[in-house]
Amino acid sequence: MDKKSYNGHRKRLRDRYLLSGIDGFLPHEILEMILDSAIPRSNNNPLAKELIDIFGSVNGVMNATVKELCNVPGIGEKSAIQLKIHKDIANYLNYEKIPKTDALTSISQVIDYLNLNLKGKINEEFVVIYLNNSNSVIKLKAVSKGSVNEAKVYVSNIIREALNNGASGLILVHNHPGGSLKPSQSDIDITAKIKKAASYFNIRVLDHFIITNDNYFSFAGDNLL
């Protein structure tokens, strides 16, 4: 594709976006538009397709590290950072949607935010949402990153963070990269340990969510708390 052709192709993509937004765009077309801002004088369509082939999805690309992205021929540090910036902006916008009211009444927004963070990741991550007396979100913190099958969670670190931030409630969240919503015995055990340790300081564990790429499981909803 010569310069005139790919400039025309880019204009058609922009015109489609102006007409109907992102709806109807293929995954590689979404990446292509991001790459066009970082690599302005190149046909980025094949590169965008290759990224999808390597990482499996737009989320997979966005969740890759800068080093992993730079291992793809044609992706330099500038374009890798541009991709990561777009992911972080999307995360921030979702975080802003979390109202400063009862988190349990707006749990779908909290889950949407965490889903964007965790979706597409190949390893388990364990996140704690720290709440005040009104169940408003004080902070969200990833407390561990593990292998494909387990994340090492240190209960004392979770409780220390809660005390340092004056939290009176916790919501636990972790992902299952394999796609299963069924809690493992270790999931059940760590929940019980955190709940017991938190109770000594009058801190409540309100729920524990397991997130997969397309759904979530609630411990409280299944009477496992």
Side-chain angles (χ1 to χ4, degrees):
M1 188 183 293
D2 59 28
K3 182 176 181 180
K4 183 177 180 180
S5 296
Y6 73 68
N7 281 340
H9 172 67
R10 287 181 178 183
K11 185 178 186 306
R12 287 190 292 274
L13 284 180
R14 291 195 299 269
D15 288 345
R16 278 175 58 196
Y17 176 76
L18 289 173
L19 182 65
S20 58
I22 208 72
D23 291 344
F25 274 73
L26 296 172
H28 74 270
E29 291 175 324
I30 296 170
L31 288 179
E32 185 181 349
M33 287 196 296
I34 298 173
L35 290 170
D36 285 346
S37 63
I39 314 173
R41 289 179 290 277
S42 178
N43 171 22
N44 294 309
N45 184 276
L47 180 56
K49 289 180 177 178
E50 185 177 2
L51 286 168
I52 294 293
D53 287 341
I54 292 172
F55 296 104
S57 66
V58 174
N59 260 295
V61 174
M62 296 301 197
N63 282 317
T65 65
V66 169
K67 182 178 180 180
E68 289 170 335
L69 290 169
C70 287
N71 285 332
V72 179
I75 294 289
E77 185 178 60
K78 179 182 177 182
S79 48
I81 291 173
Q82 189 75 19
L83 288 166
K84 300 301 292 183
I85 287 173
H86 275 75
K87 168 69 183 299
D88 288 340
I89 290 172
N91 285 350
Y92 182 79
L93 293 175
N94 270 283
Y95 181 75
E96 279 195 328
K97 291 179 183 178
I98 299 173
K100 304 304 179 184
T101 55
D102 191 331
L104 294 179
T105 63
S106 57
I107 196 63
S108 62
Q109 291 172 313
V110 177
I111 292 297
D112 284 347
Y113 169 75
L114 289 168
N115 220 338
L116 187 62
N117 275 269
L118 299 175
K119 189 173 182 179
K121 293 196 174 181
I122 62 171
N123 293 324
E124 282 196 15
E125 293 193 19
F126 199 102
V127 176
V128 178
I129 304 170
Y130 296 91
L131 308 172
N132 64 17
N133 284 321
S134 302
N135 290 339
S136 296
V137 176
I138 298 172
K139 71 182 298 184
L140 298 91
K141 183 178 177 66
V143 296
S144 71
K145 299 180 181 182
S147 68
V148 170
N149 296 315
E150 65 174 303
K152 295 186 183 299
V153 179
Y154 297 97
V155 177
S156 60
N157 291 348
I158 293 172
I159 303 303
R160 185 181 303 111
E161 191 75 25
L163 295 173
N164 288 342
N165 286 276
S168 57
L170 308 174
I171 296 176
L172 315 175
V173 187
H174 80 282
N175 62 320
H176 275 182
S180 172
L181 282 174
K182 183 179 180 180
S184 67
Q185 188 58 51
S186 61
D187 293 337
I188 295 169
D189 291 345
I190 193 62
T191 305
K193 288 179 182 177
I194 295 171
K195 182 179 179 181
K196 182 177 181 180
S199 69
Y200 294 136
F201 301 93
N202 295 317
I203 299 170
R204 300 160 296 145
V205 175
L206 301 175
D207 210 335
H208 184 170
F209 293 99
I210 296 172
I211 291 178
T212 64
N213 278 352
D214 54 11
N215 212 338
Y216 68 89
F217 172 88
S218 164
F219 274 60
D222 213 55
N223 296 315
L224 288 178
L225 271 180

